[in-house]
């Protein structure tokens, strides 16, 4: 594939996912402040976040991580798409059946007993939705994926309004809204994506299923490790922070959950890009190393600028929430850095995806999870509830360093470590000023400007290239 064509494809898919999902992501951002008013208190918010964390833990276990295999094997040109779909569906149904048998054990999860039926429904609906969306993505039906994102967010907002504002169902209504939204999405994608024509019991392929499981099963502990780094914070805070600062542990969990609001902006940037990048990384075979290097430099520069800007704005934007949530700003800075590391880790994970080295993804995530379990405990003792955010950042930074080292045997990427260290140092200085200086506005503004200036050439060059490609496409059209 020519240079222009492969970059054009990446640009086109990124713009498609960004533009089509912009509305849905914007709505989802407004949902978070709305929830602080719709739910009775930070304590109730804490319970909902804990239940959502339990659901996110069970999803990769039930699905056996098969969604990763569906898109990877579905992208193979010579693979029977119907067999990929049926194998994925069989895996999910088998996993859900096993979870039903484990009902007594699942009840033992903290806070889960009162919401067990809804938890099971949320897990099943989410697994089916992911199967359908990954399958149509493997068939390059990207516009439908984008349309589904808009529809899912809109339906989630409507269900929130119904179950929280009209029926006042609290945590139960929160979970019910998640279930209904995912179910509607699964049905929509299955019908609109024509998945029905691939539903054929005779297409179940046992040898292919074995290959898919060998690829995706290592993803289960990897996904659990990712969950440990990102979600176990809430359970540590619940267990260790009751009474700190005169707040209940559930209230601290609620504040931590709200603290994830602004870091979502970086997550969205990474998600738009990664959805497109995953397709290009697998299908591009010529000059792959050069392609990866150029894209990584641009991607990292954009992430550093976004991270500096969000930290700069974290206190003012917390005024969008109800007044008793303002303290959540303390959780934002290191969660922003953790989100940035997650985006970079996903980029490096695409190397493992290309070469089907899922075991490497597992090993690196396990190392990060092990460090996180230790640091969460120590940092809460030393710094209080906010300590879990720096623990998450350091754990994800370790994952990045391990992946940067381990991918060298597959693909050599020039990470420009000096440049990255300067960027990280400036952002850490920005965080220090925010926490320890009463008059923080000027120094934090200057540091943010320095980060943007350091990355301006790469960011502006990328923007110019994107603009040129878009103009070229419009001209040809």
């Amino acid at each position: 594939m020519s240079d222009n064509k492969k970059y054009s494809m990446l640009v086109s898919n990124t713009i498609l996912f960004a533009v089509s999902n912009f509305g849905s992501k914007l709505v989802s951002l407004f949902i978070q402040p709305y929830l602080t008013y719709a739910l009775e208190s930070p304590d109730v918010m804490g319970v909902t976040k804990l239940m959502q964390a339990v659901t996110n833990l069970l999803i990769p276990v039930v699905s056996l991580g098969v969604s990763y295999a569906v898109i990877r094997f579905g992208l193979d040109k010579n693979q029977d798409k119907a067999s990929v779909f049926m194998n994925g569906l069989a895996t999910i149904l088998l996993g859900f059946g096993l979870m039903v048998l484990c009902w007594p054990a699942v009840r033992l999860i903290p806070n889960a007993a009162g919401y067990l039926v809804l938890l099971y429904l949320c897990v099943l609906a989410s697994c089916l939705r992911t199967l359908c969306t990954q399958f149509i993505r493997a068939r390059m039906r990207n516009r439908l994926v984008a349309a589904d994102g808009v529809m899912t967010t809109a339906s989630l907002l409507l269900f929130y309004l119904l179950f929280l504002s009209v029926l006042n169902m609290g945590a139960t209504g929160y979970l019910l809204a998640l279930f209904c939204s995912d179910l509607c999405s699964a049905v929509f994608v299955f019908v609109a994506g024509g998945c029905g024509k691939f539903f054929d019991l005779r297409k179940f392929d046992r040898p292919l299923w074995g290959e898919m499981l060998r690829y995706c099963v290592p993803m289960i502990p990897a996904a659990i490790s990712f969950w440990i780094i990102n979600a176990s914070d809430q359970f540590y805070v619940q267990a260790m922070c009751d009474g700190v600062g005169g707040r209940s542990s559930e209230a601290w969990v609620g504040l931590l959950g709200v603290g994830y609001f602004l870091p979502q902006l970086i997550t969205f940037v990474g998600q738009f890009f990664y959805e497109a990048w995953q397709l290009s990384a697998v299908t591009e075979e010529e000059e792959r190393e050069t392609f990866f290097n150029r894209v990584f430099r641009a991607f990292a520069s954009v992430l550093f600028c976004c991270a500096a800007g969000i930290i700069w704005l974290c206190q003012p934007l917390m005024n969008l929430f109800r007044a008793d949530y303002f303290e959540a700003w303390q959780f934002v800075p290191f969660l922003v850095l953790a989100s940035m590391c997650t985006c970079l880790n996903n980029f490096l994970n695409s190397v493992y995806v290309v070469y089907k080295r899922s075991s490497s993804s597992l090993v690196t995530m396990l190392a990060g999870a092990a460090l996180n379990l230790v640091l969460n405990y120590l940092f809460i003792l030393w710094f209080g509830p906010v300590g879990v955010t720096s623990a998450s950042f350091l754990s994800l930074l370790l994952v990045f360093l391990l992946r940067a080292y381990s991918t060298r045997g597959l693909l050599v990427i020039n990470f420009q470590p000096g440049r990255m260290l300067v960027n990280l140092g400036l952002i850490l200085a920005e965080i220090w000023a925010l926490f320890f200086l009463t008059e923080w506005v000027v120094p934090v503004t200057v540091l943010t400007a320095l980060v943007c200036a350091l990355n301006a050439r790469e960011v502006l060059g990328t923007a110019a290239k994107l603009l040129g490609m878009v103009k070229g496409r419009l001209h040809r059209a």
Side-chain angles (χ1 to χ4, degrees), residues 8 14 39 78 123 153 173 178 230-231 248 261 268 277 340 347 370 398 400 414 433:
S8 179
T14 302
L39 297 171
N78 299 323
V123 168
T153 306
L178 292 177
N230 287 277
S248 69
F261 165 69
F268 292 160
W277 171 246
M340 183 184 73
F347 182 93
L398 174 65
F400 173 76
N414 180 9

Side-chain angles (χ1 to χ4, degrees), residues 297-444:
R297 287 197 300 271
F299 186 47
S301 295
V302 171
L303 290 177
F304 277 119
C305 290
C306 288
I310 293 169
I311 292 169
W312 175 50
L313 293 171
C314 70
Q315 283 200 33
L317 288 179
M318 276 298 148
N319 290 310
L320 292 172
F321 296 87
R322 209 168 65 191
D324 50 349
Y325 285 89
F326 181 77
E327 285 185 55
W329 77 263
Q330 302 170 69
F331 295 99
V332 173
F334 281 105
L335 287 178
V336 166
L337 285 180
S339 296
M340 183 184 73
C341 286
T342 297
C343 294
L344 294 175
N345 289 337
N346 284 339
F347 182 93
L348 293 183
N349 188 66
S350 66
V351 179
Y352 300 142
V353 171
V354 168
Y355 294 99
K356 296 182 179 178
R357 299 290 183 87
S358 53
S359 58
S360 298
S361 178
L362 164 61
V363 171
T364 54
M365 287 307 302
L366 281 176
L371 179 64
N372 184 254
L373 290 173
V374 176
L375 293 184
N376 270 344
Y377 178 76
L378 293 176
F379 284 10
I380 288 178
L381 290 179
W382 297 340
F383 310 119
V386 74
V388 297
T389 61
S390 50
S392 293
F393 161 59
L394 291 175
S395 302
L396 288 163
L397 180 62
L398 174 65
V399 175
F400 173 76
L401 294 174
L402 292 174
R403 289 187 175 181
Y405 178 80
S406 69
T407 53
R408 294 188 309 168
L410 303 172
L411 202 95
V412 179
I413 298 175
N414 180 9
F415 295 101
Q416 299 181 307
R419 185 188 186 89
M420 295 191 75
L421 282 173
V422 171
N423 272 298
L424 182 58
L426 289 171
I427 293 176
L428 289 174
E430 185 181 358
I431 293 173
W432 180 88
L434 196 62
F435 274 97
F436 297 106
L437 297 182
T438 305
E439 301 297 328
W440 57 266
V441 176
V442 173
V444 169

Side-chain angles (χ1 to χ4, degrees), residues 125 148 151-152 155 159 179-189:
D148 171 66
M151 190 209 76
T152 302
S155 66
F159 286 125
F179 163 69
C180 292
S181 178
D182 279 346
L183 182 63
C184 289
S185 169
V187 172
F188 168 73
V189 174

